[in-house]
C-alpha cells in the first residue's frame, strides 16, 4: 500500500516539475528573476518584504502572495510601488498548504511579467510541503524566526537543505529568549553546510541592508543563475 | 481538472474518517481520552506538554509525537513519567505535513492504551493540513504564539475553527512585541466565536495551571465527550 502511495506522489512531482519548467521558460523570456520565499506561519515574510522592497531603487518588483484564504498580506504590500497579485489555495485548489507550479502558472496572467526585474513568490506559511514543489524559481529563500527555537533545521531538514539563503529573523528578541544562536547555526550547518545566512530584524531594521542588496543582485544577474 | 482533483480529495478524507472511527472505537474500549494537539512550528507544543504533564497527579498519560523526521520532542518528554512513542511521517509516509488516522493507527501498538487515561497526539507543526484530518480524537487543542502575529485566525481559519481550545502562548514576550492582543482575540471570535482560550507562557509558567486542569478534566470525563 505504501509503495503505491509513493508511486503516485512521484508522478505528481513529475507533473509539477514539467509545469515548473514551463513557468521558468516564461520567466526567462520575460527577463524576470524569481524568488520562492518560504517560512513557518508568522516568521515575518511579509514584514521582511515591506522593509526590503520599499527601497529597492532601479528594480521593478512584483509579488505573488500565496495564502489559504484572504488577501491580508497583499493588502499590506499594496501601499508600496509594486505589482501585487493574490493567489488563494482554498477555492479551486482545496485549501492546499503550499503553492505548486500549476497554481503559480494560473496566477501569472495577473502579473505584468515583461515589466518586472524581480518576482517574489510568498509561499503559504509551512515548513514541510512548500519545499517539495518547485514553481520555476531561480532562488529559494526561507525565514526562520529565533522565536521558533533552535531545533527547526533538524525537524524540517528538507526546507533548510533546499534553500539558497536563510534569513534568521526577529533577532531584536534574542535578549528575551532562551534561544541559543550558536546551536541553531550548528544545526543549520549539519543540515545544509555553509548555506548563506543573514541575521536580521524586520521590526528594528537591523541587518535589512544585506537582504535588500541580495535581492538587488539577484534581480540584476544576467544569464543562467541555477 | 479541478473537479477531478476535488473528488479524489473527498474520497481520501472519507477513508480517513473511516479509520479515525476505528481509532476512536479502540480508544473508547481502552477508556483513554485523546487530545489532538496542533500548532505552527515552534509555537511551543512540547514545552506546554512538559509544563503540564510533569505534574498531573492521578492521570496516566501517553504522548504520541508526530514529526517529519527525528525524535527530538519525544526525547525531551522521555524524562517525564510518560509512555512516549515517536511517529515519523518521512519514512513510509513520504514526508507528510500532518498526521492522518492511518498513521496514528499504525503507531497505536507502540502505546499501552489500556493503561492510559489520557493520550496526547502532538501533530506535525503546520496550521493547514492537520486541521483537515481527524485521527479519532476527543478534543482538538491548538497553540498560537503571540510572536506569530495577530492575523493568524484570519489566515488559517479552519485550524482555529475546528479547535475546542486555543492556547495563546509566549505571553511573557508581549512587552517586547507589537502584538495587539485585543485584535487577535477579535479575529479569533470572528472565526470561532467564544471558543475557550487560555493566555499562558510555557517559559514563565504563567497561566499553566488552567491548562493542566483542563487536561485533568478531559482525562476524568466519563461517557460521551463529542
Amino acid at each position: 500500500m505504501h509503495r503505491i502511495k509513493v508511486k503516485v506522489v512521484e508522478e505528481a512531482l513529475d507533473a509539477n516539475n514539467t509545469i515548473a519548467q514551463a513557468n521558468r521558460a516564461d520567466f526567462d523570456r520575460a527577463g524576470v528573476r524569481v524568488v520562492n520565499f518560504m517560512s513557518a506561519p508568522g516568521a515575518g515574510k511579509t514584514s521582511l518584504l515591506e522593509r526590503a522592497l520599499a527601497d529597492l531603487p532601479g528594480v521593478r518588483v512584483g509579488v505573488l502572495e500565496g495564502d489559504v484564504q484572504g488577501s491580508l498580506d497583499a493588502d499590506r504590500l499594496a501601499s508600496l510601488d509594486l505589482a501585487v497579485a493574490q493567489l488563494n489555495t482554498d477555492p479551486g485548489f482545496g485549501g492546499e498548504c503550499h503553492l505548486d507550479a500549476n497554481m503559480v502558472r494560473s496566477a501569472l496572467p495577473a502579473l505584468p511579467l515583461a515589466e518586472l526585474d524581480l518576482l517574489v513568490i510568498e509561499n503559504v506559511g509551512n515548513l514541510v510541503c512548500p519545499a517539495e514543489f518547485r514553481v520555476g524559481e531561480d532562488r529559494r529563500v526561507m525565514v526562520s524566526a529565533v522565536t521558533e527555537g533552535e531545533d527547526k533545521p533538524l525537524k524540517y531538514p528538507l526546507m533548510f537543505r533546499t534553500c539558497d539563503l536563510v534569513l534568521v529573523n526577529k533577532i531584536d528578541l534574542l535578549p528575551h529568549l532562551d534561544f541559543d544562536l550558536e546551536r541553531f547555526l550548528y544545526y543549520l550547518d549539519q543540515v545544509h553546510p555553509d548555506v548563506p545566512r543573514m541575521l536580521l530584524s524586520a521590526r528594528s531594521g537591523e541587518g535589512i541592508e544585506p537582504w535588500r542588496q541580495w535581492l538587488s543582485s539577484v534581480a540584476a544577474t544576467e544569464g543562467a543563475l541555477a
Side-chain angles (χ1 to χ4, degrees), chain A residues 27 30-37 48-49 52-64 81-84 108 111-121 137-141 211-221 225:
Chain A
F27 297 145
V32 58
R33 294 301 182 182
V34 179
V35 171
N36 189 353
F37 198 33
L48 287 167
L49 289 182
L53 302 182
D55 182 24
L56 215 58
V59 182
R60 300 167 300 172
V61 184
V63 178
L64 178 57
D81 185 22
L82 304 170
V84 182
L108 292 186
L111 288 162
L113 280 194
E115 296 163 26
L116 300 178
D117 304 304
L118 177 69
L119 172 63
V120 180
I121 299 175
E137 68 269 37
D138 295 284
R139 288 286 182 265
R140 301 184 133 198
V141 180
W211 161 228
R212 192 179 281 139
Q213 287 171 8
W214 187 92
L215 286 169
S216 279
S217 75
V218 167
T221 310
L225 244 179

Side-chain angles (χ1 to χ4, degrees), chain A residues 130-190:
Chain A
E132 298 171 10
F133 292 85
R134 297 232 159 237
V135 297
E137 68 269 37
D138 295 284
R139 288 286 182 265
R140 301 184 133 198
V141 180
M142 73 163 293
V143 186
S144 189
V146 295
T147 46
E148 297 167 18
E150 304 93 356
D151 58 353
K152 293 302 159 292
L154 300 183
K155 295 187 73 174
Y156 304 92
L158 184 66
M159 176 62 76
F160 285 85
R161 192 176 292 134
T162 63
C163 272
D164 302 296
L165 173 66
V166 176
L167 301 179
V168 184
N169 193 25
K170 307 194 186 181
I171 59 167
D172 59 297
L173 294 174
L174 280 174
H176 313 294
L177 302 172
D178 303 317
F179 185 84
D180 184 337
L181 182 59
E182 290 308 308
R183 196 195 296 193
F184 171 83
L185 296 174
Y186 172 76
Y187 290 154
L188 178 59
D189 280 324
Q190 282 195 312

Side-chain angles (χ1 to χ4, degrees), chain A residues 9-137:
Chain A
V9 169
E10 283 172 356
E11 280 168 10
L13 288 179
D14 285 350
N16 186 73
N17 282 339
T18 301
I19 302 173
Q21 285 168 13
N23 291 348
R24 184 56 185 270
D26 285 357
F27 297 145
D28 286 345
R29 238 184 325 267
V32 58
R33 294 301 182 182
V34 179
V35 171
N36 189 353
F37 198 33
M38 301 177 283
S39 80
K45 291 188 297 304
T46 311
S47 298
L48 287 167
L49 289 182
E50 285 178 310
R51 278 280 189 181
L53 302 182
D55 182 24
L56 215 58
V59 182
R60 300 167 300 172
V61 184
V63 178
L64 178 57
E65 282 292 340
D67 282 298
V68 178
Q69 258 190 38
S71 61
L72 288 169
D73 292 346
D75 297 344
R76 283 170 63 184
L77 294 173
S79 62
L80 304 179
D81 185 22
L82 304 170
V84 182
Q86 177 75 47
L87 171 55
N88 283 342
T89 72
D90 203 2
F93 296 109
E96 295 287 347
C97 63
H98 59 275
L99 298 181
D100 66 22
N102 195 43
M103 295 180 210
V104 168
R105 190 154 193 80
S106 73
L108 292 186
L111 288 162
L113 280 194
E115 296 163 26
L116 300 178
D117 304 304
L118 177 69
L119 172 63
V120 180
I121 299 175
E122 189 179 331
N123 218 307
V124 180
N126 180 358
L127 289 181
V128 187
C129 300
E132 298 171 10
F133 292 85
R134 297 232 159 237
V135 297
E137 68 269 37

